[in-house]
Amino acid sequence: MDNNTYVVIMAGGIGSRFWPFSRTNYPKQFHDVLGTGQSMLQATAERFKNICPPENVFIVTNKDYEALVKQQLPELTDNQILLEPIGRNTAPCIAYASYKIAQLNPNANLVVTPADHVVLKQDVFTEVINDALEAAAKDDVLITLGITPSRPDTGYGYIQYIDEAGSKTKKVKTFTEKPNLELAQMFLESGDFVWNSGIFIWSARSILKAFRQHLPEITEVFEEGLGTLNTSDEQNFITRAYSQCRNVSIDYGIMEKVDNVYVLLADIGWSDLGTWNSLYTINEKDEAGNVVDGEVMLYDTKDCIIKTPKDRLVVLQGLEDYIVAEYDNVLMICKKTEEQKVKEFMADAKSKKGPDYI
């Protein structure tokens, strides 16, 4: 275990595609989505227990979720919890963590990961991350983990790579964000495209160099406050800094523009668990193809995903290919094939019924 290795867990999103289970005041990363006894945040932190020291794990989240993070990861110090005043996408989030950690350790190598992804092959994941960290410590490279696609999914970003014999890391040729079905099918058939996992590995030096070259306005904002990071003045500075940062993703702002991006192919049992269908895909099914989490009685029902409170008996008859999800004061019943409308349902609930339902 290398003391120069740091992990940044991004845990600030709302997870609107997972409504009504994921709510503004209690997003999905704080839920035990898989029924394992751990929230997704807790499972993500534990995933790195053999990769870096516990004091090198940092959580970036919205200030409204500070209490949830402290409740679920009580071993963290206040300095390990980075509080964003507003959401500004992944580039400002990563800049904040990178500048803060680089000040603590200029030789830091970072793993950046979302809090709400699933990794089923822990041993393989540890090996892959260590390989990536070794490459990032040695060379000026930005590495992302690539997942071999199993279907022409239009919800993921795709990376085309140049296959170099004998090299674990492959040079990235192109990025494509969420293609249409026809294009996704072509990517799948070509054999040289992988899903972009959104898990990144690089040295602090390399990512800060990339920020200076491609997002200089963000660099300027954070370098003005270097003296406040890791001090009692940090939060006041971050509040001002975020008001000056535009909303931009790390993919669009940096990864699609630099020429030192590499992908490491990783068969780690990965899912971004971003939708109800992704939860359905990775879960065990009953003999009728249903995924059930709750106190449920089923009749003539197949290929459904049902997630309801344990203290409520739910009886379903005659459903096929549906999502049935209840949490708190909302029950949603929706065709699995129409799950792209979930964000629309959430927006309508907010505008027509008020904020209590989102």
Side-chain angles (χ1 to χ4, degrees):
M1 192 179 299
D2 189 343
N3 286 331
N4 288 334
T5 297
Y6 291 75
V7 172
V8 177
I9 301 175
M10 299 181 291
I14 295 174
S16 55
R17 290 182 296 168
F18 230 85
W19 186 81
F21 190 64
S22 187
R23 308 293 279 273
T24 303
N25 64 346
Y26 208 94
K28 67 174 179 177
Q29 61 266 28
F30 300 108
H31 287 274
D32 178 9
V33 175
L34 297 177
T36 61
Q38 286 185 312
S39 72
M40 301 195 75
L41 174 63
Q42 290 170 321
T44 302
E46 185 170 307
R47 195 172 298 146
F48 291 92
K49 65 181 181 181
N50 294 322
I51 293 173
C52 81
E55 63 270 19
N56 288 9
V57 175
F58 288 77
I59 313 296
V60 189
T61 191
N62 187 281
K63 61 180 176 55
D64 294 339
Y65 307 142
E66 179 182 11
L68 283 171
V69 172
K70 288 183 173 181
Q71 176 188 340
Q72 296 195 358
L73 298 174
E75 66 276 15
L76 297 181
T77 65
D78 287 349
N79 201 46
Q80 290 172 267
I81 304 173
L82 285 62
L83 302 176
E84 297 183 296
I86 47 177
R88 279 293 184 260
N89 216 317
T90 51
C93 163
I94 289 170
Y96 178 13
S98 299
Y99 275 104
K100 181 180 175 74
I101 292 170
Q103 191 177 74
L104 293 171
N105 182 352
N107 297 316
N109 301 305
L110 312 181
V111 183
V112 180
T113 179
D116 55 357
H117 289 190
V118 173
V119 171
L120 299 177
K121 300 179 182 179
Q122 177 63 49
D123 291 345
V124 178
F125 176 78
T126 301
E127 182 180 341
V128 166
I129 292 294
N130 283 330
D131 285 344
L133 283 164
E134 183 179 346
K138 187 169 57 177
D139 297 312
D140 177 20
V141 293
L142 308 180
I143 299 171
T144 182
L145 299 190
I147 311 299
T148 302
S150 58
R151 60 189 182 276
D153 199 305
T154 60
Y156 294 147
Y158 286 72
I159 297 171
Q160 184 183 27
Y161 63 89
I162 301 168
D163 198 359
E164 298 166 328
S167 175
K168 291 182 179 179
T169 55
K170 317 289 185 182
K171 189 167 179 58
V172 170
K173 187 175 181 181
T174 61
F175 281 88
T176 304
E177 271 301 306
K178 298 181 180 178
N180 60 36
L181 186 59
E182 183 180 1
L183 200 55
Q185 186 65 51
M186 288 173 56
F187 290 169
L188 190 67
E189 292 168 358
S190 76
D192 60 351
F193 283 82
V194 288
W195 287 334
N196 182 1
S197 70
I199 300 172
F200 305 107
I201 303 94
W202 43 52
S203 68
R205 287 191 180 94
S206 290
I207 191 59
L208 293 181
K209 174 184 174 184
F211 269 103
R212 284 192 293 272
Q213 291 175 340
H214 298 282
L215 288 173
E217 72 279 13
I218 290 181
T219 296
E220 184 178 346
V221 167
F222 280 95
E223 289 192 349
E224 281 181 6
L226 283 179
T228 69
L229 296 178
N230 301 299
T231 75
S232 59
D233 292 329
E234 178 177 318
Q235 200 58 50
N236 287 332
F237 162 69
I238 289 300
T239 299
R240 295 193 304 275
Y242 267 66
S243 70
Q244 300 172 57
C245 289
R246 64 186 173 101
N247 188 311
V248 58
S249 72
I250 197 73
D251 288 319
Y252 179 78
I254 289 180
M255 302 299 279
E256 295 177 13
K257 296 175 180 175
V258 295
D259 59 5
N260 61 334
V261 180
Y262 287 77
V263 63
L264 182 57
L265 275 54
D267 179 14
I268 54 176
W270 173 90
S271 171
D272 77 339
L273 215 60
T275 64
W276 286 105
N277 262 314
S278 62
L279 181 59
Y280 177 83
T281 299
I282 68 167
N283 264 289
E284 291 185 14
K285 285 83 173 170
D286 65 16
E287 62 277 6
N290 298 303
V291 172
V292 179
D293 183 2
E295 194 64 37
V296 180
M297 296 170 59
L298 300 178
Y299 301 87
D300 306 318
T301 293
K302 63 180 183 178
D303 300 331
C304 292
I305 178 166
I306 301 131
K307 193 169 182 64
T308 55
K310 298 286 194 296
D311 59 356
R312 182 190 299 274
L313 176 63
V314 176
V315 181
L316 299 175
Q317 188 274 331
L319 292 185
E320 181 178 350
D321 264 335
Y322 269 82
I323 303 162
V324 179
E326 181 180 5
Y327 182 77
D328 196 15
N329 56 357
V330 177
L331 167 66
M332 182 189 74
I333 303 171
C334 170
K335 290 181 179 179
K336 275 164 53 188
T337 55
E338 299 291 329
E339 74 161 353
Q340 72 274 9
K341 293 183 177 179
V342 170
K343 290 181 76 171
E344 179 185 331
F345 299 156
M346 181 178 176
D348 286 348
K350 181 179 181 180
S351 64
K352 296 175 181 178
K353 301 296 181 182
D356 291 346
Y357 296 96
I358 61 141

